[in-house]
């Protein structure tokens, strides 16, 4: 073997392959390792696939990626990653990548079937869809755990034993030699199958259910996040109730088992078909009779007033003086009138600021009238909204003017604030604003007066 002596002053020339490697650095992306196929044979690389199936399998990944924002070119790492974290969070383990999302989504769809199977079984039990025997059996089991709560520590063993017994008849007999073999890969749902599409349907419905639940809860969460004026009051009530709550839960005679029993069985009772039928009937009855006149009639109470006016009258009666309580009483009324300001265009926005008493014409009714037709005797004081009464009669001092929110005086009804809308001649009443015609509106206020015989 011959050797060549290299002088110390020589400079080594880079090889061509080194230049190629330096000019085009390789970008590595961590992809999850796909599971090996069950039969042990790798799928062919150039296996043909029909265009229809290929389009169906790529539809969801492409649809999902259409909502993924493009990361900036100089971005390194995950949007959720924080500086200084030695161990990344699970949500920031892998960078945002189309291949990772596509692979993980397919893996998730093929393996999430057991979760939705459990969800369907729980729904069947809670909603009584498998008969009363199955649901009552689970209710009895829950009651047994409430009476013996220490058995909860044995619940994992009971669940594993139940799974083993439930799947025994589906497991083939295994010989002694097969016990020494490594376990086979778990069965997964193949792409494009009926079960695979069922998992996608369940994911779709779960996303809609989660969004509906979020939309239902979000308005109430705003009261806890200082976005409404009720947050300080709720916080004060919670702080004041914290110490009594600690004392209550520390009492040795607190029936914790009974509370858990009632709280756990309450959903089963509410979802019972007979209870649901009764609740639906009551809701339909309340919808048809919103003033609860049938209930007030059975209780011997006044059925003429609307429900809101009846509740206000109940509070006013509680504040009456002894002399006024036994004296004869009756009700007087005033009508508040407003006119719409002249809009610059037909499609201009109409809000509350566009209505005012100052817009009333000088040759029409005043801002406050004694009757709905605009009649006024001229004795109405605009400062305290009082007028002259018959001898011996006086306004109830413990009450003020009450708004007729239900607009019971109008056969057509009114809006949420008691307004009845009319045209420029104060005719054609309607309970809502109608464009290019409703330029006037009115609503009623009532107040009680009583007869004082001592003043006659």
């Amino acid at each position: 073997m011959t050797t060549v002596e290299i002088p110390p002053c020589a400079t080594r020339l880079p090889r061509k392959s080194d230049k190629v490697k330096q000019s085009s650095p390789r970008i590595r992306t961590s992809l999850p390792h796909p599971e090996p196929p069950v039969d042990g044979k790798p799928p062919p690389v150039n296996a043909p696939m029909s265009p229809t199936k290929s389009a169906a399998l790529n539809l969801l990944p492409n649809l999902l990626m259409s909502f993924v924002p493009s990361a900036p070119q100089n971005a390194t790492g995950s949007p959720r990653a924080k500086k200084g974290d030695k161990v990344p969070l699970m949500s920031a383990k892998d960078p945002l990548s189309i291949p990772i999302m596509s692979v993980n989504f397919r893996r998730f769809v093929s393996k999430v079937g057991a979760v939705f199977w459990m969800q369907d079984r729980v729904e069947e039990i809670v909603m009584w869809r498998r008969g009363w025997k199955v649901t009552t059996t689970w209710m009895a089991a829950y009651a047994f755990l409430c009476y013996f709560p220490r058995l909860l520590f044995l619940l994992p063993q009971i669940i594993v034993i139940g799974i083993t017994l439930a799947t025994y008849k589906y497991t083939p007999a295994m010989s002694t030699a097969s016990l020494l073999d490594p376990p086979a890969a778990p069965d997964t749902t193949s792409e494009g199958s009926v079960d695979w599409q069922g998992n996608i349907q369940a994911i779709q419905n779960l996303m809609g259910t989660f969004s509906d639940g979020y939309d239902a809860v979000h308005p109430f969460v705003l009261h806890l996040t200082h976005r409404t004026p009720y947050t300080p009051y709720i916080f004060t009530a919670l702080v004041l109730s914290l110490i009594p709550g600690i004392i209550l839960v520390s009492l040795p005679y607190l029936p914790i088992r009974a509370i858990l029993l009632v709280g756990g069985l309450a959903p089963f009772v509410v979802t019972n078909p007979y209870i649901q039928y009764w609740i639906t009937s009551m809701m339909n009855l309340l919808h048809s009779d919103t003033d609860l006149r049938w209930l007030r009639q059975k209780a011997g109470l006044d059925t003429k007033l609307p429900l809101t006016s009846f509740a206000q009258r109940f509070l006013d009666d509680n504040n009456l003086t002894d002399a006024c309580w036994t004296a004869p009483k009756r009700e007087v009324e005033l009508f508040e009138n407003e006119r719409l300001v002249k809009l610059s265009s037909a499609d201009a926005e109409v809000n509350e600021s566009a209505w005012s008493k100052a817009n009333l014409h000088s040759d029409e009714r005043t801002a406050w009238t004694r009757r709905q037709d605009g009649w006024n005797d001229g004795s109405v004081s605009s400062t305290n909204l009082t007028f002259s009464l018959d001898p011996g009669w006086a306004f109830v001092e413990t009450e003020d003017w009450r708004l007729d929110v239900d607009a019971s005086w109008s056969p057509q009804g009114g809006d949420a604030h008691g307004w009845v809308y009319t045209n420029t001649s104060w005719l054609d009443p309607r309970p809502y604003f109608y464009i290019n015609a409703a330029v006037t509106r009115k609503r009623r206020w009532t107040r009680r007066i009583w007869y004082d015989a001592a003043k006659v």
Side-chain angles (χ1 to χ4, degrees):
M1 179 182 295
T2 58
T3 59
V4 178
E5 184 178 356
I6 301 176
C9 60
T11 302
R12 182 182 177 185
L13 297 176
R15 292 180 297 177
K16 184 177 181 181
S17 58
D18 295 336
K19 294 182 179 180
V20 175
K21 291 182 180 180
Q22 294 177 1
S23 60
S24 58
R26 180 180 299 177
I27 300 176
R28 299 179 180 272
T29 304
S30 59
L31 293 175
H33 299 285
E35 296 185 357
V38 179
D39 54 2
K41 297 181 181 180
V45 178
N46 298 325
M49 181 180 293
S50 62
T52 305
K53 184 176 181 180
S54 176
L57 295 180
N58 294 329
L59 174 62
L60 279 175
N62 294 335
L63 183 62
L64 289 175
M65 291 312 303
S66 63
F67 296 97
V68 177
S70 58
Q73 297 180 357
N74 56 354
T76 58
S78 172
R80 288 181 174 268
K82 297 181 179 180
K83 296 181 179 180
D85 290 345
K86 296 182 180 179
V87 180
L89 300 175
M90 184 181 297
S91 60
K93 182 178 68 173
D94 294 326
L96 183 61
S97 172
I98 295 178
I100 296 178
M101 179 176 291
S102 178
V103 172
N104 287 345
F105 180 78
R106 292 183 177 181
R107 295 173 61 206
F108 178 76
V109 172
S110 63
K111 297 175 175 61
V112 77
V115 177
F116 293 113
W117 179 89
M118 179 61 67
Q119 173 187 326
D120 295 340
R121 302 293 80 77
V122 172
E123 183 178 356
E124 289 177 352
I125 294 172
V126 175
M127 303 301 293
W128 302 74
R129 294 179 181 175
R130 298 192 64 182
W132 65 272
K133 295 182 179 180
V134 177
T135 303
T136 52
T137 301
W138 283 96
M139 293 174 65
Y142 178 79
F144 188 77
L145 288 177
C146 290
Y147 193 76
F148 299 101
R150 297 178 185 270
L151 293 178
L152 289 174
F153 294 100
L154 301 178
L155 196 59
Q157 291 92 319
I158 296 175
I159 293 176
V160 175
I161 292 174
I163 295 175
T164 305
L165 294 178
T167 57
Y168 174 74
K169 57 183 179 180
Y170 301 105
T171 305
M174 301 177 64
S175 60
T176 306
S178 61
L179 293 176
L180 302 177
D181 297 336
D187 296 335
T188 57
T189 305
S190 59
E191 296 184 7
S193 62
V194 177
D195 295 337
W196 194 79
Q197 296 177 4
N199 293 344
I200 293 182
Q201 180 184 6
I203 294 173
Q204 160 199 302
N205 297 331
L206 180 62
M207 292 188 296
T209 303
F210 177 82
S211 301
D212 294 339
Y214 181 88
D215 294 338
V217 175
H218 184 260
F220 301 97
V221 177
L222 296 178
H223 299 307
L224 308 177
T225 56
H226 300 276
R227 298 184 181 181
T228 63
Y230 302 104
T231 303
Y233 303 102
I234 297 176
F235 178 76
T236 304
L238 292 176
V239 171
L240 294 178
S241 62
L242 183 61
I243 296 178
I246 294 175
I247 298 175
L248 180 63
V249 298
S250 302
L251 294 177
Y253 300 105
L254 182 66
I256 299 179
R257 296 178 179 177
I259 294 175
L260 294 177
L261 178 63
V262 175
L265 297 182
F268 294 94
V269 176
V270 174
T271 56
N272 185 274
Y274 296 100
I275 302 298
Q276 287 287 322
Y277 175 77
W278 183 80
I279 294 176
T280 304
S281 302
M282 292 297 297
M283 294 300 295
N284 293 335
L285 183 60
L286 294 176
H287 182 72
S288 59
D289 186 10
T290 56
D291 293 331
L292 299 179
R293 300 183 189 275
W294 63 273
L295 183 60
R296 286 187 282 167
Q297 183 179 4
K298 290 183 178 295
L301 301 175
D302 185 16
T303 59
K304 297 180 180 179
L305 294 176
L307 182 60
T308 54
S309 301
F310 173 78
Q312 184 63 54
R313 180 62 55 83
F314 180 81
L315 298 177
D316 291 339
D317 290 342
N318 187 51
N319 298 327
L320 291 176
T321 60
D322 295 338
C324 186
W325 179 271
T326 57
K329 295 179 289 294
R330 66 184 185 185
E331 196 175 71
V332 294
E333 60 185 12
L334 278 179
F335 284 87
E336 182 183 6
N337 308 300
E338 290 184 350
R339 178 176 284 273
L340 182 66
V341 66
K342 186 175 181 181
L343 302 176
S344 58
S345 59
D347 56 349
E349 182 181 0
V350 177
N351 48 33
E352 287 297 322
S353 61
W355 297 90
S356 176
K357 300 177 182 60
N359 300 328
L360 294 172
H361 299 163
S362 58
D363 57 346
E364 61 178 351
R365 62 184 66 187
T366 57
W368 297 94
T369 56
R370 294 284 303 275
R371 291 195 308 216
Q372 59 172 313
D373 58 0
W375 177 83
N376 193 4
D377 58 357
S379 63
V380 178
S381 174
S382 59
T383 56
N384 54 5
L385 296 180
T386 57
F387 45 86
S388 59
L389 299 175
D390 295 336
W393 289 90
F395 289 97
V396 176
E397 297 179 357
T398 58
E399 299 179 11
D400 199 356
W401 289 95
R402 305 301 183 192
L403 175 63
D404 186 4
V405 182
D406 302 284
S408 56
W409 58 276
S410 176
Q412 293 80 13
D415 63 1
H417 302 284
W419 289 107
V420 178
Y421 297 86
T422 52
N423 56 20
T424 187
S425 302
W426 303 89
L427 301 175
D428 192 15
R430 298 186 187 183
Y432 52 86
F433 173 77
Y434 49 103
I435 304 176
N436 298 331
V439 294
T440 58
R441 65 179 185 178
K442 52 188 174 180
R443 61 180 177 181
R444 189 178 73 145
W445 295 77
T446 61
R447 188 175 180 180
R448 286 194 295 181
I449 58 177
W450 67 291
Y451 182 77
D452 188 4
K455 295 182 179 180
V456 178

